[in-house]
Amino acid sequence: MAVAAANGGTGIRPATPAPWSARLSWAFFDWANQPYFTVITTFIFAPYFTSKVIGNPVDGQSLWGFVQAFSAVIVALGAPFLGAIADAGGRRKPWLFGFQLLLAFGCALLWLAQPGQLQLLPLVILGLVLANIAAEYSIMFNNALLPGLETPQRVGWLSGFGWGMGYLGGLIALFAVLVVSQPELVGIRPPPGEALLGLQRSSFEAERIIGPAAALWLAVFVLPMFLFTPDRPGSGRPFADVARAGFRRVIDTLRHVRQYGNLLRFLIAYMIYYDGLVAVIGFGGIYAAGIFGWGTTELGIFGIALNVIAIPAAIAGGWLDDRIGSKRAVQIAIVSVALGTLGILSITADSVLFGIEVAPRAAGAGAFSSAGEQVFFVCAILLGLGMGPMQAASRTLVARLSPPDMVGEFYGIYSLSGRATTFLAPLLIGIATAVFATQRVAAVIVLVFLAVGFVLLWKVVEPEHT
């Protein structure tokens, strides 16, 4: 067991970076995949699903939490084994290709999500589950390519740049959704009852087309990664042998897990604080739609603003990562997200900051005209400043802590730790929302996860990389 490498080595070995085309193409993976998270699971489709398809924001949020929890359990169970099998087989791209196809198929099924068509709801939920699982496994294999593309001194920058590219892709996708669904905002007047492209408003086709459009976006923009980013050479061994070797390696790693104590401490901390981040990203738009009655326009503008903030924050976070270390960059990001979440918790439709009464949004008033909406926006700025650096620096820290020959396996365990209890926050939110009949409970649960993860991270020792 490479104990020294696991606890003191960087897990990153290139003396020179890969060609710029390889690194840029790797970053395009985030560009291609981020619209799924931005447009579908956060700002547009998730609130549409909970408020319109299900018809009741509380019941919808509860069901959404259960769907996310189930998907997370499947990801958690399979990630370490798939990562170890990929390590044994060498190549990552075949796995990436398969899961990207599955992600596109799951997105396409979301076209069936129409209010009043509950007989199609099982297929919609199937699409969500397949897409959730495929997206997370795809990220795991793409992350495993990172250590071979950049030097230790610059790997944080590349990780942050990738997240920045992702947020930029999400921003453009959000803007496109907004223009298609509400073309009046840019001075286009379609026929009555229609959005752009002839989409019918009465059957919410502008919201439903988001799934197939995300699948098409993915198919186009993930191609550079497959064409120009180098993969590890294959082992040439039969798949059955590779699978057995991967399973044995995971079991052996788990048996000797205490020898990887530093990395284990980080993964436990990550497991907790990432739960909080996923929950606040996943339920922020749902919460705003519930308390302010936001529709596609408001949610789209909100998402665009959040991504505008997140793009430079993620890139700057990568720069900060390389200078002060991944651990400190993560800690700063957790504080920012926690402050934003606390602010959101303080807001209701007619009060802010835990009790200061404000006028609710007046009927027919413009978007973001009420004080509560404006304070919510300020809190979202804090979320945007923290969420990109938190994810980018966490990804880098795994690369710094992992043994070079076990990168795929430990990124699998990283996915496991990110998903082992990620079902817990949505599950607790789903249960608590149903029990207390209030959406505010989501923010309380998020804060607890962020605080515990922050405390646990203190004991992680980051190796020098200069």
Side-chain angles (χ1 to χ4, degrees), residues 4 15 50 95-96 139 292 300 431 447 451 465:
T50 57
W95 295 93
L96 269 169
I139 290 171
F292 299 127
I431 294 172
L447 283 171
H465 58 275

Side-chain angles (χ1 to χ4, degrees), residues 227-244:
L227 293 175
F228 302 114
T229 301
D231 198 357
R232 288 177 55 181
S235 66
R237 299 162 61 186
F239 179 77
D241 291 346
V242 169
R244 282 192 294 267

Side-chain angles (χ1 to χ4, degrees), residues 99-299:
F99 284 118
Q100 292 284 275
L101 282 179
L102 188 61
L103 173 56
F105 175 70
C107 288
L109 285 178
L110 302 186
W111 170 257
L112 303 176
Q114 183 174 352
Q117 301 291 326
L118 293 182
Q119 73 275 13
L120 298 176
L121 186 58
L123 286 175
V124 176
I125 292 175
L126 174 64
L128 287 170
V129 170
L130 291 178
N132 285 338
I133 293 170
E136 293 298 334
Y137 283 152
S138 296
I139 290 171
M140 178 186 76
F141 288 111
N142 185 65
N143 286 347
L145 295 173
L146 171 62
L149 298 176
E150 188 55 274
T151 63
Q153 295 78 15
R154 297 271 292 171
V155 72
W157 177 89
L158 180 57
S159 182
F161 177 72
W163 278 109
M165 286 283 289
Y167 285 126
L168 180 58
L171 171 65
I172 294 173
L174 266 175
F175 182 75
V177 168
L178 203 59
V179 169
V180 169
S181 62
Q182 303 291 333
E184 298 85 356
L185 295 174
V186 293
I188 300 175
R189 301 288 177 182
E194 291 187 5
L196 284 188
L197 308 177
L199 299 171
Q200 299 300 309
R201 297 182 192 257
S202 60
S203 55
F204 297 93
E205 289 183 348
E207 287 78 16
R208 293 161 53 206
I209 198 67
I210 289 171
L216 179 61
W217 176 288
L218 179 72
V220 171
F221 289 115
V222 81
L223 283 177
M225 188 275 297
F226 286 110
L227 293 175
F228 302 114
T229 301
D231 198 357
R232 288 177 55 181
S235 66
R237 299 162 61 186
F239 179 77
D241 291 346
V242 169
R244 282 192 294 267
F247 272 82
R248 285 195 299 266
R249 188 163 187 171
V250 171
I251 299 303
D252 186 56
T253 299
L254 294 176
R255 288 174 57 194
H256 298 87
V257 71
R258 292 186 179 180
Q259 299 179 13
Y260 299 89
N262 192 44
L263 183 55
L264 179 63
R265 284 189 291 272
F266 164 68
L267 292 174
I268 293 173
Y270 172 76
M271 177 174 65
I272 304 300
Y273 70 72
Y274 184 72
D275 266 17
L277 179 64
V278 169
V280 74
I281 292 175
F283 289 92
I286 293 173
Y287 182 72
I291 65 170
F292 299 127
W294 283 3
T296 300
T297 300
E298 293 89 348
L299 289 166

Side-chain angles (χ1 to χ4, degrees), residues 233-411:
S235 66
R237 299 162 61 186
F239 179 77
D241 291 346
V242 169
R244 282 192 294 267
F247 272 82
R248 285 195 299 266
R249 188 163 187 171
V250 171
I251 299 303
D252 186 56
T253 299
L254 294 176
R255 288 174 57 194
H256 298 87
V257 71
R258 292 186 179 180
Q259 299 179 13
Y260 299 89
N262 192 44
L263 183 55
L264 179 63
R265 284 189 291 272
F266 164 68
L267 292 174
I268 293 173
Y270 172 76
M271 177 174 65
I272 304 300
Y273 70 72
Y274 184 72
D275 266 17
L277 179 64
V278 169
V280 74
I281 292 175
F283 289 92
I286 293 173
Y287 182 72
I291 65 170
F292 299 127
W294 283 3
T296 300
T297 300
E298 293 89 348
L299 289 166
I301 294 173
F302 169 67
I304 288 171
L306 193 60
N307 277 268
V308 167
I309 297 162
I311 292 166
I315 296 173
W319 175 87
L320 192 67
D321 181 339
D322 287 331
R323 279 153 183 78
I324 68 172
S326 304
K327 172 185 166 180
R328 291 188 183 92
V330 170
Q331 289 175 316
I332 293 171
I334 291 175
V335 171
S336 182
V337 172
L339 289 174
T341 304
L342 184 64
I344 289 173
L345 175 61
S346 76
I347 300 169
T348 67
D350 55 6
S351 69
V352 298
L353 302 179
F354 299 105
I356 299 176
E357 294 185 2
V358 296
R361 180 175 173 178
F368 317 114
S369 59
S370 70
E373 293 171 295
Q374 292 162 9
V375 174
F376 191 95
F377 234 101
V378 172
C379 297
I381 292 174
L382 293 171
L383 296 181
L385 289 173
M387 64 187 190
M390 186 192 300
Q391 296 172 94
S394 297
R395 174 165 67 181
T396 306
L397 192 51
V398 177
R400 299 195 195 283
L401 295 174
S402 297
D405 61 339
M406 300 176 69
V407 169
E409 179 180 351
F410 276 106
Y411 268 116

